[in-house]
Amino acid sequence: MHSMVSGEKSERPRASARSSAARTRGRPRSFDRATALEAALLAFWEHGYEATSVSDLTRVMDIGAPSLYAAFGDKRSLFEEVVQEYGARYGSFGDRALAEEPTARAGIERMLREAAVEYTAPGRPHGCLVIHAAANCSTAEVEESLRERRNANIAAIERRIGADVADGVLPPDTDAAALARYTGAMIQGMSQQARDGASRAELEALAEIALAVWPRG
């Protein structure tokens, strides 16, 4: 009787060890979601949506494909989250400039100057993710989503200019829509030139020229 009890006691730890080992083998390796998302953001920012494969993402995020799909959904869902994160962390300087400066011109001046800084910041891809991520993109939904974001930015600039026209800050004959498109073209052009190697100083000089055509009240 005593030997049976001893045998049972000696078997239980081994069974527990086996089940623990099985659980360990079956449990996905944990990862920091924010760190993985930032790695995906940088990959999409550098290479665009189309050229960044799932295998590229799993490599830079340091997770397996099952973990990627479980945590973020498919590639397109991950990209949508990346764009939201980019807007919050890197792309919000334009919205802040328009909201915080007293006039549309002051807001645009700050936006262009900060774009020169942001688009050439060291340690990360140059230019704007929203402008470049759809390059050579064959996924229509992604391309359309990014286009809508860019057009929404131009619409926000137009509204800010229109408010200054209505308030008499800008001349009544100011073409708010054309001026907003011009500003959008400058922002997009600065982004592309940053990708092509333009320096912060060169983009700041470009911003000065862009502001020279701004109408005076």
Side-chain angles (χ1 to χ4, degrees), residues 39-53:
L41 186 155
L42 293 173
F44 280 126
W45 193 351
E46 178 67 31
H47 303 293
Y49 178 82
E50 199 72 27
T52 306
S53 67

Side-chain angles (χ1 to χ4, degrees), residues 6-217:
S6 297
E8 288 172 359
K9 288 182 178 178
S10 65
E11 285 296 317
R12 282 172 185 160
R14 288 198 295 270
S16 176
R18 285 196 302 269
S19 62
S20 176
R23 287 196 302 270
T24 301
R25 287 195 301 270
R27 185 184 301 122
R29 181 169 57 84
S30 62
F31 66 95
D32 183 84
R33 193 179 192 281
T35 300
L37 182 62
E38 176 71 4
L41 186 155
L42 293 173
F44 280 126
W45 193 351
E46 178 67 31
H47 303 293
Y49 178 82
E50 199 72 27
T52 306
S53 67
V54 171
S55 61
D56 293 331
L57 292 167
T58 57
R59 185 182 69 254
V60 300
M61 297 167 78
D62 194 26
I63 60 176
S67 294
L68 186 154
Y69 292 127
F72 299 101
D74 59 12
K75 176 183 169 181
R76 182 179 164 194
S77 297
L78 171 59
F79 181 71
E80 289 172 356
E81 186 169 347
V82 157
V83 171
Q84 293 289 338
E85 181 74 3
Y86 174 85
R89 293 192 55 192
Y90 301 104
S92 59
F93 64 90
D95 291 338
R96 287 197 306 271
L98 288 179
E100 295 173 5
E101 295 301 320
T103 65
R105 187 187 191 282
I108 297 303
E109 179 177 4
R110 174 175 157 185
M111 182 189 300
L112 293 175
R113 293 184 189 281
E114 292 188 3
V117 176
E118 293 292 331
Y119 290 169
T120 59
R124 66 189 197 215
H126 286 179
C128 172
L129 180 148
V130 174
I131 292 172
H132 294 289
N136 302 315
C137 180
S138 61
T139 305
E141 295 85 357
V142 171
E143 188 177 15
E144 177 62 23
S145 175
L146 294 175
R147 183 185 303 114
E148 288 176 358
R149 282 181 170 271
R150 294 192 296 270
N151 286 336
N153 290 337
I154 293 174
I157 294 170
E158 182 178 349
R159 287 193 299 271
R160 188 70 178 84
I161 295 169
D164 274 11
V165 173
D167 291 342
V169 176
L170 288 171
D173 60 347
T174 299
D175 189 335
L179 197 53
R181 285 282 174 193
Y182 168 77
T183 303
M186 293 306 303
I187 289 285
Q188 292 171 18
M190 290 172 70
S191 177
Q192 182 60 55
Q193 291 196 21
R195 298 280 289 196
D196 290 343
S199 68
R200 170 181 170 177
E202 288 171 331
L203 295 184
E204 287 175 337
L206 182 61
E208 288 293 332
I209 295 172
L211 290 165
V213 307
W214 197 271
R216 297 289 182 176

